[in-house]
Amino acid sequence: MPRPEQKLINLTIDGREVQAVEGSMLIDAAKQGDVEIPFFCYEPKLGEPVGACRMCLVEIEGIPKLQTSCSTPARDGMVVNTQVERVVDAQNAVIEFLLVNHPLDCPVCDKGGECPLQDYTFGWGRGRSRVIEPKRHFVKPLALSPLIAIDRERCILCYRCVRFSQEISEDWQLIFTERGAHTFVGTHDGHPYVAPFSGNIIELCPVGALTSQPYRFRARPWDIEGAGGICTLCPSQCNVEFTVRDDKVTRVLARENPGVDDGWLCDKGRFAYQAIHVDERITEPLVRDESGELKPAGWDEALQAARAVAGHRGRTAALIGGQASNEEAFMLGRIVREGLGSRDIDSRPRGSVELDLARALAAPALQAGVQDLEFAHTVLVLGTEPLDDSPILDLRIRKGVRRNGVKLAIASARPSALDPNSELSIRYAPGAEAEFLSGLEWAFEHPGSGPTHDLAQMLRDGGEDVVILWGESLPAEALATLLRIADKLGLAGRDGAGLLEVPTGTNSRGIREAGALPNAGPGYSEVDAGRSAAEIAEAAIAGDVTALYLFQVDPVRDLPGRARWERALANATVVVAHASVLTDGIAAHADVVFPAESSAEKEGTIVHPDGRLQRLRSAIKRPGQVRAGWQVLADIAKATSVETGVLTAGMAFKQLVAAVPFYAGLTLEEIGGRGVRWPETEAAAAMPAGKVPASATPGSSGTQAESNGHLRVGTYRSIWASPEVDISPALQFTVAEQLVELSPEDALRLGIEQGAAVQVAQNGTRLSGRAAIRSGVPVGTAFLAAGIAKDSANALTENLVEVVKA
Amino acid sequence: MTRHLLFDRIDEPGLNTLSVYEKRGGYGALRKSLELPPAAIIEEIKQSAIRGRGGAGFQMGMKASFLPKGDMAKYLVCNADESEPGTFKDRELMQKSPHTLIEGMIITTFAAGIHHAFIYIRGEYQLQADILDAAVAEAEAAGYLGEDILGSGHSLKLVVHRGAGAYICGEETGLLDSLEGKRGNPRLKPPFPAIEGLYHGPTLVNNVETLGTVPTIMNMGGGEYAKIGAQGSTGTKLISVSGDVQRPGNYEIELGTSSRDIIYGLCGGPKEGRKVKMWFPGGSSSPVLLEQDLDLAYDFDTMAKAGSMLGSGAIIVIDDSHSAFEVAQKVVKFYTHESCGKCVPCREGTNWTQKFLARIESGEATPMDLDILASVQTQIIGNCLCVLGDAMAMPIGSIVVKFRDELEAEIEAARERANAPIYAAA
Amino acid sequence: MSAIDRRPPVKRYEHGSRVPGWDEAVDLTKPPATVPDPALTPVPEELRAAIEAEMAKYPDSKSASIPALHLAQRHHGWCSPEAIDQVACVMRLTPAYLTSVASFYDMFYLQPKPSNDVFVCTNITCSLLGADEFYAAMSQAAEGHDVSVRGFECLGGCDIAPMASVNGEYVGPLHLDDARLIVEDLEAGRPVLEHKQLRHRACADPGAASSAGAPDSVPPNPAAPEEPR
């Protein structure tokens, strides 16, 4: 779908000649002439203007009544006045009306000092009050949710928060109730406003009506500084601004980047900053002593202990978690390959992908950008649940459907939150991704009917700009088919079309590009292939791998095959870990634990799934004994006789750029605060070409074992499944637990009621959870949560389970 | 003075049924219209120069011609929300001759190429909605509604939609939001409904009486219809007269009739010994007129020239047994209750005005406060999203100006009742 | 529980306006109110069918929210959370959306109420002619009976002022004694004040009279109290 063209026109505002984009609202056009027009309700991100606050009234010559500049598009030759008497009178009037009931409790208001109502009252009000009538008074503040406090006295009913709930997150939970001056913001029947993006309303509120429970009364605006950063809690990599007071992050705000986040944050990104400053955080090196206990140690002692890996040349393997930076991945790759003479390094939790295929999937011409989701003709969401896997994309897809008429199709095993917005939703059995895609490929060539054919037709005939958002959970054999489908649709090289991966880890893309793969070096260069993650585990059990280097990853929690990893870690002679929390695997098996940096501390770069290099900058001093990851790695490298010469994060970046041909010429300055998409740069030509394998014989259709009343297992990773959430005090109410999603039919058959305690059993493994009955779950399937601290589905090894009442 | 086009023998038993309506020549105008090219119908309506009967008084033919041509989903919505205080004329028409409205709507949709029409009737009018439902079913059964109406190729689905009690749904865009199943908050204009209305489609919104007049116009011819009434106010008008008159009710008059003839002649004026103190010429939203204005001709332009408006044609007469303050309180209470709360000047302005009057009543105000009260009204006028704020501010403004002395006396009396201290002590 | 819930409420002005709901915090133990899952929300079959019939009337089924709330209110007696959940389930909307809509309109009840409704018009015309006194009398007469009495804004029955709508039936002009009669008629299950029902009233315009006479014969008025004007 072509994006709207922008034409410039001329108009006069307060006597100034102003050039503005045709169709832009006068309130925005006025900024071009340095004319500020005050407003409360206007927020273009929220969709069509509502014109409710009446603060932005202006005079337009030729129109008798004052008009709202937030809803009047600029036209060529318009003459607009904002300083004439009747406009000033109207603005004075609106301010006076707003203050009829606003409590003016600014001294005890959290918004004080950063409050639009304060500023506009000063700038556009009369400066005196004629109101002596009693104001409304109510109990305040009240809890709207565990995260948000509401002060209804202060509310000016600007519509922003309810529009967010209705137009952006589309959860339709936050509403106006009653009418007229009695109107108030609330929810249905006393239910809390708990939704994945609820925190955005705090930032949208132009007064102190909605305040953050964790931030309330923590600071005044003059106590704080803002520091730009990136949230690294998921692959969305939203741009944020850390509010810093006394070297502590006290709040996270959105830092709008249309190419990344559109100015929104999920509640995990907004509130899990608390994990930076809690006691559970590891802030000093730990070394396991003779008694087998992890004890705080000095850096010298810890580094000395970690240098033990040097004694395991050729038998050391490394795993890297998604929160590592490109530089860290690159340096660790050098340590493993050059220093330790090993080939075993991996960052993919689900098995490796052939180099040719991996290159083809990362081909610059095939990469869709985040904004393409918004303007495509058709978007196919394949094998991922954006709300859980990359939440901010959920909002972007909704926006495309709502505002631009993007046609949405969903193909997944598990019902999706986006199903109601889609034209077509297809369910396949968990693990049957490859068969599904083969069927789709076949449907392109052969006439027929049914959902797969409908999808083929939708993709082929619905317009050229097709974006396929696919999840890393797709098995390797499905990926070749995916590429062939992309080829059939002509997505390569087409602006506004392409593939966009939702990887498991935040910086999975950058880590791979930096060479942390068993079969590829920096820049997808060819290397002698080493072991994949799963093979590393087997090798460790077999004794072929004797030392493990775990960089911000706990395989026991994060990777499939929990029991296998427990044995592998137990079997290894040396386990060195970088971690910020003592998760199960680290606590039980690590010999040395280096405190890892949080994203508010780290200096470095990461790569967004769409190829945008983004820069992490340190916003606060590293707490306690925490050292920079690159610095620790440089020390370890030295012990393995690799002289990196890295003395700053910037130097590490330069070495990375030198090693990855398609990053050539990039500088930190250029990446700046907005990032640079390398697939759009000239250097992208240096990306080695991949090959799309020819059509393979249809994969074995995974003959199903006799179910015998057991349920087939699908897994999901909730948005809340993260160690940072586990230790953030404000998010305790939402810490992910084992919710076993069942179809109503199976629940009825098994006599299980909504919310009941259940046991999930398989081969002697037992997990406890609670039943979540959900229409749309296919009969015969149960979906289990993975990535959680307790009872995680990664303990299961087979694809059938028995679910019983506990 | 009276002339009967819509109310002609409307009390005839059974007129609400199709058989009686047809016996009287009902649906003849439709048959005649279906023979004409649609544009010719719009032309007849334009020639009739009929102005909207709901309140705004915009020419119906002109509004219909704003509708974009072409094959797209367009809608006709009949505004039967009749909630302006003092107005009850549409009620009588719908209850007693529902087919007049339905016939007018079919003709209008044929003329404008519309295939989906709604009657949005206020939820309180349950009897009338039931009657409309029955009439629609009868018309459908007889082939006046549905596919290929009378072999013309025109099709129309007509749905009677009941509201649930909110004055603001009489405002056309509030009505559209309500019809879409939302809170009845008015929308920003532009875009006007004729361009983007119901479900974002071009939408014609007309009052019951306006649409009900269409069959008459088609029967008489627009030119003939335009000869009735006054310059700029053609035709007859249904008016609702209530308050301090001896024969309240609905009347059909020729526009341009003297107001005195209506209030005294038709309705018998206030009861013996009382005289007209003030009157609302067009519902409670219209600035009040006084006894000296009784000889004004009752038509759109004359009322506007006198600083008020004809509005919906609802005349509320108040005699000298009532105080201006009492009237102001009732008006303000109504608009405060009915303000939808969307825009600031209306929500806070009506609320503040109500608190103001409460303060006067409790003896806490001084005559100087009347200046602030008047100023608050001017701060509302012209600054709101829709006309509801103005609808309170204009009559209240007019009462403050026209009855200032009386209000000052009321303030003094209230202070005395409350034993309030002398001003200087404040 | 967060700290702010434990704080005792602060007593301030007692004379500010007070609205039900304003002072209520959410119940943090409840789950968020999302679109009800059909598997977990039983809906009476006749109610479901009636709501679906309404939805089918409109190009966009959301338009049926007001008719559907009318249906649910009739079924449950008021727009209870349960009633709203059921409508939300059938219409695939959130309960909050419907609460928001219902609370906007005067005819929906978000609190339990008696089964009979008397709306007494207290707008200008009616109040000029004694509506406030009648409202007081009506409220008093209804005490202890299954009758809800509300002062209402203009109902469009100013020709029979002062008037009221009794379960939808317009009656007037009302005398103070009628308050008691209304309650009696309601309790006896009779048509209410039949001789004062608007449906039987002829149009005031002399030209409206049919040659055949008045529309329906108005039943004789047994009590014939003097009209209050």
CSV table of all heavy atoms in Angstrom, one decimal, chain B residues 110-130:
chain,number,residue,atom,x,y,z
B,110,PHE,N,-35.6,7.2,-2.3
B,110,PHE,CA,-35.6,7.0,-3.8
B,110,PHE,C,-34.9,8.2,-4.5
B,110,PHE,O,-34.1,8.0,-5.3
B,110,PHE,CB,-37.0,6.8,-4.3
B,110,PHE,CG,-37.1,6.7,-5.8
B,110,PHE,CD1,-36.6,5.6,-6.4
B,110,PHE,CD2,-37.7,7.7,-6.5
B,110,PHE,CE1,-36.7,5.5,-7.8
B,110,PHE,CE2,-37.8,7.6,-7.9
B,110,PHE,CZ,-37.3,6.5,-8.6
B,111,ALA,N,-35.2,9.4,-4.0
B,111,ALA,CA,-34.6,10.6,-4.6
B,111,ALA,C,-33.1,10.6,-4.4
B,111,ALA,O,-32.4,11.1,-5.3
B,111,ALA,CB,-35.3,11.8,-4.1
B,112,ALA,N,-32.7,10.1,-3.3
B,112,ALA,CA,-31.3,10.3,-2.9
B,112,ALA,C,-30.4,9.0,-3.2
B,112,ALA,O,-29.3,9.0,-2.9
B,112,ALA,CB,-31.1,10.8,-1.5
B,113,GLY,N,-31.1,8.0,-3.7
B,113,GLY,CA,-30.3,6.7,-3.9
B,113,GLY,C,-29.9,6.1,-2.7
B,113,GLY,O,-28.7,5.6,-2.5
B,114,ILE,N,-30.7,6.0,-1.7
B,114,ILE,CA,-30.4,5.5,-0.4
B,114,ILE,C,-31.2,4.2,-0.2
B,114,ILE,O,-32.4,4.1,-0.5
B,114,ILE,CB,-30.8,6.5,0.8
B,114,ILE,CG1,-29.9,7.7,0.7
B,114,ILE,CG2,-30.7,5.8,2.2
B,114,ILE,CD1,-30.3,8.8,1.6
B,115,HIS,N,-30.5,3.1,0.4
B,115,HIS,CA,-31.2,1.9,0.6
B,115,HIS,C,-31.3,1.4,2.0
B,115,HIS,O,-31.7,0.3,2.3
B,115,HIS,CB,-30.5,0.8,-0.3
B,115,HIS,CG,-30.5,1.2,-1.7
B,115,HIS,ND1,-31.6,1.4,-2.5
B,115,HIS,CD2,-29.4,1.6,-2.5
B,115,HIS,CE1,-31.2,1.8,-3.7
B,115,HIS,NE2,-29.9,1.9,-3.7
B,116,HIS,N,-30.8,2.3,2.9
B,116,HIS,CA,-30.9,1.9,4.3
B,116,HIS,C,-31.4,3.1,5.1
B,116,HIS,O,-30.7,4.2,5.0
B,116,HIS,CB,-29.5,1.5,4.8
B,116,HIS,CG,-29.4,0.2,5.4
B,116,HIS,ND1,-28.7,-0.9,4.8
B,116,HIS,CD2,-30.0,-0.3,6.5
B,116,HIS,CE1,-28.9,-1.9,5.6
B,116,HIS,NE2,-29.6,-1.6,6.6
B,117,ALA,N,-32.5,3.0,5.8
B,117,ALA,CA,-33.0,4.1,6.6
B,117,ALA,C,-33.3,3.7,8.0
B,117,ALA,O,-33.6,2.5,8.2
B,117,ALA,CB,-34.2,4.7,5.9
B,118,PHE,N,-33.2,4.7,8.9
B,118,PHE,CA,-33.5,4.4,10.3
B,118,PHE,C,-34.4,5.5,10.8
B,118,PHE,O,-34.3,6.7,10.4
B,118,PHE,CB,-32.2,4.4,11.1
B,118,PHE,CG,-31.2,3.4,10.7
B,118,PHE,CD1,-30.3,3.6,9.7
B,118,PHE,CD2,-31.2,2.1,11.3
B,118,PHE,CE1,-29.4,2.7,9.3
B,118,PHE,CE2,-30.3,1.2,10.9
B,118,PHE,CZ,-29.4,1.4,9.9
B,119,ILE,N,-35.3,5.1,11.7
B,119,ILE,CA,-36.0,6.1,12.5
B,119,ILE,C,-35.4,6.0,13.9
B,119,ILE,O,-35.6,5.0,14.5
B,119,ILE,CB,-37.5,5.8,12.5
B,119,ILE,CG1,-38.1,5.9,11.1
B,119,ILE,CG2,-38.2,6.9,13.4
B,119,ILE,CD1,-39.5,5.5,11.0
B,120,TYR,N,-34.7,7.0,14.3
B,120,TYR,CA,-34.2,7.0,15.7
B,120,TYR,C,-35.2,7.7,16.6
B,120,TYR,O,-35.4,8.9,16.6
B,120,TYR,CB,-32.9,7.8,15.8
B,120,TYR,CG,-32.2,7.7,17.1
B,120,TYR,CD1,-31.1,6.9,17.4
B,120,TYR,CD2,-32.7,8.5,18.2
B,120,TYR,CE1,-30.6,6.8,18.6
B,120,TYR,CE2,-32.1,8.4,19.5
B,120,TYR,CZ,-31.0,7.5,19.6
B,120,TYR,OH,-30.4,7.4,20.9
B,121,ILE,N,-36.0,6.9,17.3
B,121,ILE,CA,-37.0,7.5,18.2
B,121,ILE,C,-36.6,7.4,19.6
B,121,ILE,O,-36.0,6.5,20.1
B,121,ILE,CB,-38.4,6.7,17.9
B,121,ILE,CG1,-39.5,7.4,18.7
B,121,ILE,CG2,-38.3,5.3,18.2
B,121,ILE,CD1,-40.9,6.9,18.3
B,122,ARG,N,-36.9,8.5,20.3
B,122,ARG,CA,-36.5,8.5,21.7
B,122,ARG,C,-37.1,7.3,22.5
B,122,ARG,O,-38.3,7.0,22.3
B,122,ARG,CB,-36.8,9.8,22.4
B,122,ARG,CG,-38.3,10.2,22.5
B,122,ARG,CD,-38.5,11.5,23.1
B,122,ARG,NE,-38.0,11.6,24.5
B,122,ARG,CZ,-38.2,12.6,25.4
B,122,ARG,NH1,-38.8,13.7,25.0
B,122,ARG,NH2,-37.7,12.5,26.6
B,123,GLY,N,-36.4,6.8,23.4
B,123,GLY,CA,-36.8,5.6,24.1
B,123,GLY,C,-38.1,5.7,24.9
B,123,GLY,O,-38.8,4.8,25.1
B,124,GLU,N,-38.3,7.0,25.3
B,124,GLU,CA,-39.5,7.2,26.2
B,124,GLU,C,-40.8,7.1,25.4
B,124,GLU,O,-41.9,6.8,25.9
B,124,GLU,CB,-39.5,8.6,26.8
B,124,GLU,CG,-38.3,8.8,27.8
B,124,GLU,CD,-37.1,9.3,27.1
B,124,GLU,OE1,-36.9,9.1,25.9
B,124,GLU,OE2,-36.2,9.9,27.8
B,125,TYR,N,-40.7,7.3,24.0
B,125,TYR,CA,-41.9,7.2,23.2
B,125,TYR,C,-42.2,5.7,22.8
B,125,TYR,O,-42.1,5.3,21.7
B,125,TYR,CB,-41.7,8.0,21.9
B,125,TYR,CG,-41.9,9.5,22.0
B,125,TYR,CD1,-41.6,10.3,20.9
B,125,TYR,CD2,-42.3,10.1,23.1
B,125,TYR,CE1,-41.8,11.6,20.9
B,125,TYR,CE2,-42.5,11.5,23.2
B,125,TYR,CZ,-42.2,12.2,22.1
B,125,TYR,OH,-42.4,13.6,22.1
B,126,GLN,N,-42.6,4.9,23.9
B,126,GLN,CA,-42.7,3.5,23.6
B,126,GLN,C,-44.0,3.2,22.8
B,126,GLN,O,-43.9,2.4,21.8
B,126,GLN,CB,-42.8,2.8,24.9
B,126,GLN,CG,-41.5,2.9,25.7
B,126,GLN,CD,-41.6,2.2,27.1
B,126,GLN,OE1,-42.3,1.3,27.3
B,126,GLN,NE2,-40.7,2.6,28.0
B,127,LEU,N,-45.1,3.9,23.1
B,127,LEU,CA,-46.3,3.7,22.3
B,127,LEU,C,-46.1,4.0,20.8
B,127,LEU,O,-46.4,3.2,19.9
B,127,LEU,CB,-47.4,4.6,22.9
B,127,LEU,CG,-48.7,4.7,22.1
B,127,LEU,CD1,-49.4,3.4,22.0
B,127,LEU,CD2,-49.6,5.8,22.6
B,128,GLN,N,-45.4,5.2,20.6
B,128,GLN,CA,-45.2,5.6,19.2
B,128,GLN,C,-44.2,4.6,18.5
B,128,GLN,O,-44.4,4.4,17.3
B,128,GLN,CB,-44.7,7.0,19.2
B,128,GLN,CG,-45.7,8.1,19.7
B,128,GLN,CD,-45.9,8.1,21.2
B,128,GLN,OE1,-45.1,7.5,21.9
B,128,GLN,NE2,-47.0,8.6,21.6
B,129,ALA,N,-43.2,4.1,19.2
B,129,ALA,CA,-42.3,3.2,18.6
B,129,ALA,C,-43.0,1.9,18.2
B,129,ALA,O,-42.8,1.4,17.1
B,129,ALA,CB,-41.1,2.9,19.5
B,130,ASP,N,-43.9,1.5,19.1
B,130,ASP,CA,-44.6,0.2,18.8
B,130,ASP,C,-45.5,0.4,17.5
B,130,ASP,O,-45.6,-0.4,16.7
B,130,ASP,CB,-45.5,-0.2,20.0
B,130,ASP,CG,-44.7,-0.7,21.2
B,130,ASP,OD1,-43.5,-1.0,21.0
B,130,ASP,OD2,-45.3,-0.7,22.3
